[in-house]
Amino acid sequence: MAQFRYIVDDVDASVTFYKEHLGFELITQYGPAMAILRKNDLDLWVAGPPASASKPMPDGSQPVAGGWSRIVVTVDDLVATVDALRTAGVAFRNDIVEGPGGQQILCADPSGNVVELFQPQ
């Protein structure tokens, strides 16, 4: 099992996004501070502003949401998934691209964290 943590702006909005749009299951939630969601062998920890993971570093830098590192969610029908997400108002960073192993596209969760949707060949 892999575990991944995203810093998020709003834990409730993130839980809703990952459950309703990407099929994750909520395992536990610690109020507005943090939640743990699961899909297959991936546990996703979403940490909001009250979480210890969001506290400033000793040098003063602040963990923030929305970089380029990402989880990859494999889907059976990328075009249909993208259409459904666009209809729901989900933001995308690019259009579908094809690589040696399949097709992918990058969408953003409510805090701007990247999620790669991937359909293997």
Side-chain angles (χ1 to χ4, degrees):
M1 166 140 333
Q3 296 173 323
F4 196 93
R5 183 192 304 264
Y6 270 156
I7 303 298
V8 299
D9 300 321
D10 182 321
V11 169
D12 288 331
S14 296
V15 167
T16 299
F17 174 82
Y18 285 98
K19 282 177 55 183
E20 291 184 7
H21 297 304
L22 298 178
F24 280 73
E25 169 191 4
L26 178 64
I27 301 303
T28 191
Q29 184 167 348
Y30 304 97
M34 183 180 162
I36 298 174
L37 299 115
R38 180 171 294 150
K39 182 171 178 124
N40 302 324
D41 288 337
L42 172 66
D43 277 4
L44 174 60
W45 301 7
V46 291
S52 58
S54 298
K55 298 207 180 301
M57 299 293 108
D59 68 358
S61 61
Q62 180 74 39
V64 295
W68 286 97
S69 298
R70 57 194 180 250
I71 60 170
V72 177
V73 177
T74 301
V75 299
D76 294 326
D77 186 338
L78 187 59
V79 171
T81 302
V82 169
D83 288 345
L85 291 172
R86 282 198 169 121
T87 299
V90 172
F92 286 84
R93 288 195 174 181
N94 64 341
D95 292 318
I96 294 173
V97 295
E98 187 151 348
Q103 296 179 311
Q104 65 170 282
I105 191 169
L106 305 178
C107 69
D109 76 6
S111 298
N113 293 306
V114 181
V115 177
E116 178 180 322
L117 304 175
F118 178 76
Q119 180 180 333
Q121 291 181 335

